[in-house]
Amino acid sequence: MTLQTHIDPDWRDVGAVTDIPERGARRVATAQGDVAVFRTGDGQVFALVDRCPHKHGPLSQGIVHGHGVTCPLHSWVIDLATGHPTGADAGKGCTPVVPVLVRDGRVLLAQPVMAD
Amino acid sequence: MTQLKERLVVIGNGMAGCRAVEEVLKRDPARYDVTIFGAEPRVNYNRIMLSPVLAGEKTFDDIVINDEAWYRDNAITLHAGRAVTAVDLEGHKVVAEGGLEVAYDKLILATGSDPFRLPLPGADLKGVVTFRDLDDVEAMVEASGKPGARAVVIGGGLLGLEAAYGLARRGMAATVVHLMDVLMERQLDESAGYLLREALAERGVETVLGAHSDEIVGEDGKVAGLKLKDGRVLPCDLLVMAVGIRPNATLGKAAGLQVNRGIIVDDAMRTSDPAVFSVGECVEHRGNCYGLVAPIWDMCRTLAEALTDGESVYQGSVLSTRLKVSGVDVFSAGKFAGGDGCEDIVFRDAARGVYKRVVIEDGKVAGAVLFGDAADGGWYFDLMKAGTDVAEIRETLIFGQAITEGLSGLDPSAAVAAMPDTQEICGCNGVCKGAITSAITSQGLTTLDDVRAVTKASASCGSCTPLVEQVIRLTLGDGFKAQTGPKPMCKCTHHPHGDVRKAIVELELKSMPAVFQAMEWTTPDGCASCRPALNYYLLCAWPGEYVDDSQSRYINERVHANIQKDGTYSVVPRMWGGMTTPDELRAIADVADKYDIPSVKVTGGQRIDLLGVKKDDLPAVWADLNAAGMVSGHAYAKGLRTVKTCVGSDWCRFGTQDSTGLGIKLEKFMWGSWAPAKVKLAVSGCPRNCAESTCKDIGVICVDSGYEIHVGGAAGLHIQGTEFLTKVATEDEAIQLISAVMQMYREGGWYLERIYKWMARIGLDTIRAATVDDLDNRAALFARFVKSQETAQIDPWAERATGGVAAGEFKPMATLPLEMAAE
């Protein structure tokens, strides 16, 4: 008997959690641009559009600490859960959050729900 | 025969099945005629206590929950060692081995879970066991009887660690092999995982992390070792697979019950058949399957209510874990963090090996990890389950229940004011409140540093610093001055760079978690400011021992190219001393054409910069440049970048020495050395200084009688001419002296502090005394630089061009043709 996995049709498997370095990120290329998928030191996985609200730096290339990432271009710190800049830059824009979940060690990203 | 009682049949004589019966009997002892089937040929025992049995700390008799008398006294029919083969939902009966049929009115499936076996080659060899029941324990005990026997346990979770500890207690050399980089990563964060690893090593359990198992190697049909994907073979006589469990829903599924990962139950523990219930590890409730005992007890209470006409709703369980390894106090509960509005309170006591982390979300405890002192685990767990608002007690929460409740109802300053003079404030140094206040008033102290120096309060672990500050503030009122002295490295620590560098060397701290623990960092894994600094300090202090942590590097040093404003990269091949050849130039031109590189630029350091390279192309670009004999120019490095030269005596009519040759020698000798900040050198053949040596970090001006060495120039944000250090007679002496200055800077500079700033801080005279006047010290610095270079001169491009290192870094994880949702 194998462990049955259930993947809803609107979630897309993008790889194993272990494909993302701890306290690091990987890019997922999409038609709309890159999505950055992060894995934190405590094993959580987050996904954001790979673009800092400041000067569009690729957040996937930043340093991940706690539940934040420091943008590689000008060191804004973005909250991974909300996409909002923190500290002195709070309130200056936001990076869209991409719904992500981990099931049986696989990372699933949400596809958009069909428009009405 | 007239049936007086309803017939309750239970499949599963384990912890869930029997507890369910106990709960039913407690509520209505006369209602059911109970029959229990158990696959194991023994009475009901406490499976979670198998670890102490394996460790020899308990016997089987100690862990029996219900002995034979219990079944007899409660008129329960037990079919032990008789597995049920089928459930007939229509006929309301179960069929067991040997054809025995038993009818039921109510049925409970408590079939538990099965240990997960990795499908590795060799998994069927003799000596490969799981850790699930008493038979497994007996097999392990037997294997441990052989003198000198070795065990490998695959799985660094709760079960695997307990198995390994038990085997080590029985005298086996035990090694845990874990896929992840942190032990018990589902319960512990990296810091606690690090301490756990150390504690296990003290108890004879070695751990191999980040290890992918490849194959179980056998000899004569018996296990002989475990081969890892990296080629290592760990020899062993026993191999335990403890990689997890999965719900045993086979019987339920075959009967036609609704099954997903486990048997699906509703909030009353009822399956898709109204007469059939299920509890324990075989169950899936609201999408969750549980592998711990607390949820089983919760489920059994709800089930018993349902079976006795009561009402109760099972809403899922909040989990906590304790590791059953003697003397290792570990507690974990809830989630490590919750995202929005969530904060960590971290407490580290290096002297006692204590680490505590409480996660607060929306003013409530959302999770806790405790290591070394887990006494308050239950309290945090209760606060978490009850959803208590902890805003009022936030300041003292991390100190535990006793302190928090001792101060409850008082604001912190009132609480401190109310403390008697005899109350101990600093546990490390035994300083009470009265000693601090009298020192302040009698000696006119005004700062925390003063109080530390005079009384020693908060001078050790620092965890009482806020309390000491409160005492000073109360004593002085407005006279209190905020802390002065060196600035802390970053917001994660109270320690300045210098203290941390010193501790890394003196306390022999060789990993980032070791620094976090010893220096009592207040965040779980540092920040983008301290992590690159620590990574460098560790590399510098322990060359060849500390393994570089690429995730703690800035992107430029992680991908060995410079990130540009549009997210592309620039690549600068090394040109030793600024010299190049037609072949190299052709190779660079070819690369620029082939990869559509938009800009080619000559840099200020006499190198060629290829600008606008796409990240995905980097490895291929490097491979082509490597093929032409070129290596990375480290233009991105906090380390040696370029040695700029003029043409010197070879061509110039004024040149006094072979400045180009010396530049090449210096660059070939010093390349690859990491430093606190970027380092640029230059060698000019005469005082006309065409290589601009006097605005470099270290510059050489060649004169007729030898070589003038200059240090501390800069031509960046700050423009500064060099200072003259000394003059030497030979090239060899120049190289030795320059390397010694470089090493002194490497060992003493703060991260991101250029040489000129470092020099301003410590003084040119100090540098001269250490490298010019003291020849023994110069030789020692030089020797340490040479030693460090043994492991530093690896071309990072070559490592990555072949795909051998960091292959995942340059490719997207996945490419999706469709659009992704964003909230």
Side-chain angles (χ1 to χ4, degrees):
Chain A
M1 191 187 86
T2 55
L3 202 63
Q4 211 179 339
T5 55
H6 282 253
I7 297 172
D8 303 328
D10 50 344
W11 292 94
R12 287 290 293 257
D13 187 318
V14 293
V17 175
T18 49
D19 291 341
I20 312 169
E22 253 183 9
R23 275 174 272 99
R26 291 290 301 274
R27 288 173 293 150
V28 171
T30 82
Q32 223 174 353
D34 286 352
V35 172
V37 187
F38 303 89
R39 181 171 159 214
T40 58
D42 57 17
Q44 313 230 345
V45 173
F46 298 91
L48 295 173
V49 167
D50 193 12
R51 200 176 63 223
C52 181
H54 176 218
K55 301 269 186 187
H56 298 180
L59 296 174
S60 59
Q61 314 297 300
I63 290 179
V64 176
H65 48 96
H67 281 193
V69 61
T70 299
C71 175
L73 292 194
H74 305 99
S75 297
W76 279 33
V77 179
I78 308 298
D79 184 324
L80 295 177
T82 64
H84 285 284
T86 60
D89 303 310
K92 302 182 198 163
C94 163
T95 300
V97 173
V98 177
V100 60
L101 63 84
V102 176
R103 210 180 264 164
D104 297 327
R106 306 293 297 179
V107 178
L108 311 179
L109 287 187
Q111 296 221 154
V113 179
M114 297 297 278
D116 294 330
Chain B
M1 193 175 88
T2 321
Q3 189 196 321
L4 297 173
K5 293 181 178 180
E6 285 183 74
R7 295 159 302 183
L8 176 65
V9 172
V10 183
I11 305 175
N13 188 34
M15 302 184 68
C18 283
R19 175 58 75 102
V21 171
E22 283 177 37
E23 292 284 345
V24 169
L25 293 175
K26 214 186 324 181
R27 285 167 178 76
D28 193 348
R31 175 146 175 180
Y32 289 104
D33 208 359
V34 181
T35 302
I36 302 178
F37 284 89
E40 283 186 65
R42 45 184 78 93
V43 294
N44 168 232
Y45 63 92
N46 188 344
R47 195 185 296 280
I48 57 174
M49 296 309 276
L50 281 175
S51 297
V53 172
L54 174 62
E57 291 161 354
K58 285 195 189 302
T59 66
F60 179 70
D61 287 344
D62 293 333
I63 69 166
V64 166
I65 302 173
N66 292 306
D67 58 13
E68 283 173 32
W70 176 78
Y71 295 90
R72 199 170 52 239
D73 294 348
N74 289 294
I76 297 166
T77 310
L78 172 65
H79 297 291
R82 198 155 198 180
V84 171
T85 53
V87 175
D88 177 356
L89 297 177
E90 296 252 315
H92 275 231
K93 63 184 181 188
V94 303
V95 185
E97 282 171 341
L100 174 69
E101 292 190 3
V102 176
Y104 67 83
D105 297 301
K106 296 274 166 54
L107 176 68
I108 301 174
L109 286 170
T111 45
S113 57
D114 293 323
F116 190 79
R117 291 183 79 103
L118 292 173
L120 295 174
D124 51 354
L125 288 164
K126 195 165 172 294
V128 178
V129 300
T130 56
F131 184 25
R132 181 63 189 166
D133 59 27
L134 193 66
D135 293 336
D136 295 329
V137 172
E138 281 167 356
M140 287 193 247
V141 170
E142 195 194 322
S144 70
K146 191 179 130 198
R150 283 173 293 194
V152 165
V153 178
I154 305 180
L158 206 59
L159 210 56
L161 298 183
E162 291 181 5
Y165 168 70
L167 293 167
R169 281 281 308 220
R170 290 197 176 266
M172 290 185 99
T175 304
V176 172
V177 172
H178 194 42
L179 184 63
M180 313 302 272
D181 293 328
V182 177
L183 292 174
M184 288 176 65
E185 80 285 348
R186 285 163 68 182
Q187 288 88 19
L188 301 184
D189 60 17
E190 193 181 19
S191 299
Y194 158 77
L195 290 172
L196 176 57
R197 194 177 180 201
E198 302 267 296
L200 287 168
E202 278 169 27
R203 286 163 180 76
V205 177
E206 294 304 320
T207 38
V208 182
L209 300 179
H212 294 250
S213 301
D214 192 27
E215 184 186 344
I216 301 170
V217 187
E219 248 175 47
D220 307 327
K222 209 180 159 311
V223 64
L226 175 69
K227 184 161 160 273
L228 302 178
K229 284 238 162 72
D230 62 13
R232 271 182 294 177
V233 176
L234 308 170
C236 65
D237 310 276
L238 173 75
L239 188 132
V240 183
M241 282 198 197
V243 291
I245 52 171
R246 58 181 165 203
N248 176 6
T250 318
L251 199 61
K253 193 173 187 183
L257 295 174
Q258 211 179 37
V259 168
N260 189 12
R261 270 194 299 163
I263 299 166
I264 294 178
V265 295
D266 64 12
D267 291 349
M269 309 315 298
R270 200 183 300 269
T271 69
S272 54
D273 182 310
V276 181
F277 296 78
S278 188
V279 281
E281 293 176 344
C282 57
V283 154
E284 179 176 326
H285 173 262
R286 298 191 188 178
N288 292 316
C289 296
Y290 295 98
L292 293 169
V293 75
I296 296 180
W297 296 168
D298 293 342
M299 290 180 197
C300 286
R301 279 190 289 271
T302 299
L303 169 65
E305 290 289 325
L307 288 174
T308 55
D309 305 325
E311 262 183 51
S312 166
V313 172
Y314 177 64
Q315 297 183 310
S317 298
V318 192
L319 300 180
S320 71
T321 316
R322 274 179 201 270
L323 181 70
K324 289 174 293 304
V325 168
S326 301
V328 182
D329 218 1
V330 182
F331 175 86
S332 157
K335 45 186 170 177
F336 297 150
D340 207 3
C342 147
E343 58 178 326
D344 296 298
I345 305 178
V346 176
F347 171 89
R348 299 176 198 257
D349 184 340
R352 288 192 300 141
V354 171
Y355 170 78
K356 302 183 191 182
R357 179 170 170 217
V358 174
V359 179
I360 311 239
E361 190 179 4
D362 297 332
K364 294 168 187 154
V365 176
V369 180
L370 310 176
F371 189 97
D373 174 6
D376 283 308
W379 183 59
Y380 292 125
F381 192 48
D382 288 344
L383 289 173
M384 190 173 101
K385 281 192 297 184
T388 310
D389 187 327
V390 294
E392 296 280 306
I393 55 172
R394 193 195 167 285
E395 287 200 32
T396 53
L397 185 67
I398 198 76
F399 300 112
Q401 184 174 21
I403 289 176
T404 302
E405 294 185 348
L407 295 175
S408 67
L410 301 168
D411 79 57
S413 68
V416 174
M419 281 178 183
D421 278 350
T422 51
Q423 170 100 37
E424 189 175 82
I425 300 275
C426 172
C428 297
N429 296 296
V431 187
C432 61
K433 181 185 161 191
I436 298 173
T437 48
S438 67
I440 293 170
T441 45
S442 68
Q443 303 190 39
L445 310 180
T446 54
T447 67
L448 179 65
D449 282 346
D450 292 345
V451 171
R452 268 194 192 140
V454 173
T455 67
K456 300 291 285 175
S458 87
S460 295
C461 84
S463 62
C464 61
T465 301
L467 271 181
V468 175
E469 283 180 328
Q470 292 272 11
V471 173
I472 305 173
R473 199 170 284 127
L474 277 167
T475 314
L476 293 178
D478 293 339
F480 174 66
K481 289 192 190 125
Q483 182 169 8
T484 55
K487 253 175 58 187
M489 267 181 78
C490 67
K491 62 178 170 39
C492 306
T493 176
H494 306 300
H495 297 288
H497 285 267
D499 291 4
V500 175
R501 289 210 80 166
K502 215 166 120 206
I504 285 172
V505 175
E506 286 176 2
L507 306 177
E508 301 197 9
L509 307 175
K510 297 184 182 180
S511 72
M512 230 171 285
V515 176
F516 291 158
Q517 180 63 22
M519 304 301 284
E520 281 146 350
W521 242 242
T522 56
T523 51
D525 53 8
C527 68
S529 170
C530 60
R531 280 235 308 276
L534 291 177
N535 192 49
Y536 166 70
Y537 294 159
L538 288 160
L539 270 181
C540 180
W542 307 109
E545 281 188 72
Y546 176 71
V547 181
D548 181 43
D549 174 29
S550 70
Q551 297 307 323
S552 296
R553 285 203 173 279
Y554 296 124
I555 183 63
N556 286 358
E557 287 191 341
R558 194 158 77 231
V559 301
H560 302 280
N562 288 359
I563 193 167
Q564 303 296 338
K565 60 185 277 188
D566 62 353
T568 65
Y569 290 81
S570 91
V571 166
V572 181
R574 201 169 274 292
M575 287 178 181
W576 308 100
M579 291 294 284
T580 185
T581 64
D583 279 346
E584 285 185 350
L585 292 173
R586 252 189 297 274
I588 290 173
D590 287 346
V591 163
D593 276 345
K594 183 169 167 188
Y595 297 98
D596 220 3
I597 294 170
S599 297
V600 182
K601 164 92 176 68
V602 175
T603 72
Q606 299 176 334
R607 307 294 186 269
I608 292 177
D609 196 356
L610 298 160
L611 287 144
V613 184
K614 289 187 274 302
K615 189 178 184 190
D616 304 47
D617 286 341
L618 285 173
V621 166
W622 297 337
D624 284 5
L625 294 170
N626 280 163
M630 306 177 88
V631 299
S632 169
H634 288 84
Y636 44 80
K638 310 282 178 245
L640 181 85
R641 293 195 177 176
T642 51
V643 182
K644 192 173 180 178
T645 65
C646 68
V647 294
S649 57
D650 263 9
W651 296 93
C652 177
R653 63 200 165 103
F654 300 111
T656 63
Q657 308 279 359
D658 176 15
S659 54
T660 317
L662 178 56
I664 292 171
K665 277 184 200 156
L666 278 169
E667 189 165 347
K668 290 208 161 165
F669 185 65
M670 296 177 74
W671 76 277
S673 57
W674 300 107
K678 66 180 172 183
V679 176
K680 293 177 178 179
L681 271 58
V683 185
S684 290
C686 76
R688 286 171 188 78
N689 195 16
C690 294
E692 296 163 336
S693 302
T694 50
C695 64
K696 294 294 180 281
D697 295 280
I698 304 176
V700 181
I701 306 275
C702 301
V703 290
D704 270 335
S705 53
Y707 305 83
E708 289 179 4
I709 312 293
H710 295 246
V711 291
L717 282 172
H718 183 78
I719 298 179
Q720 166 120 10
T722 49
E723 302 262 4
F724 173 71
L725 181 65
T726 191
K727 197 176 104 186
V728 296
T730 65
E731 278 195 348
D732 283 351
E733 215 182 334
I735 293 171
Q736 197 203 31
L737 177 58
I738 290 167
S739 303
V741 173
M742 176 78 163
Q743 183 65 14
M744 188 180 176
Y745 165 60
R746 296 181 74 228
E747 291 174 1
W750 307 157
Y751 198 63
L752 301 185
E753 183 179 55
R754 293 280 303 273
I755 284 186
Y756 76 93
K757 285 190 182 165
W758 166 68
M759 191 167 87
R761 177 162 63 79
I762 69 164
L764 176 65
D765 289 345
T766 312
I767 299 172
R768 188 177 286 130
T771 60
V772 178
D773 302 341
D774 185 342
L775 291 179
D776 287 345
N777 190 54
R778 183 203 295 185
L781 282 164
F782 180 68
R784 290 204 291 280
F785 183 77
V786 170
K787 168 96 175 87
S788 173
Q789 287 297 80
E790 285 170 11
T791 46
Q793 291 192 326
I794 299 162
D795 176 30
W797 288 0
E799 271 188 310
R800 283 156 186 78
T802 55
V805 173
E809 177 74 58
F810 301 98
K811 292 193 297 264
M813 183 182 188
T815 300
L816 299 177
L818 299 167
E819 297 190 338
M820 299 307 300
E823 283 172 347

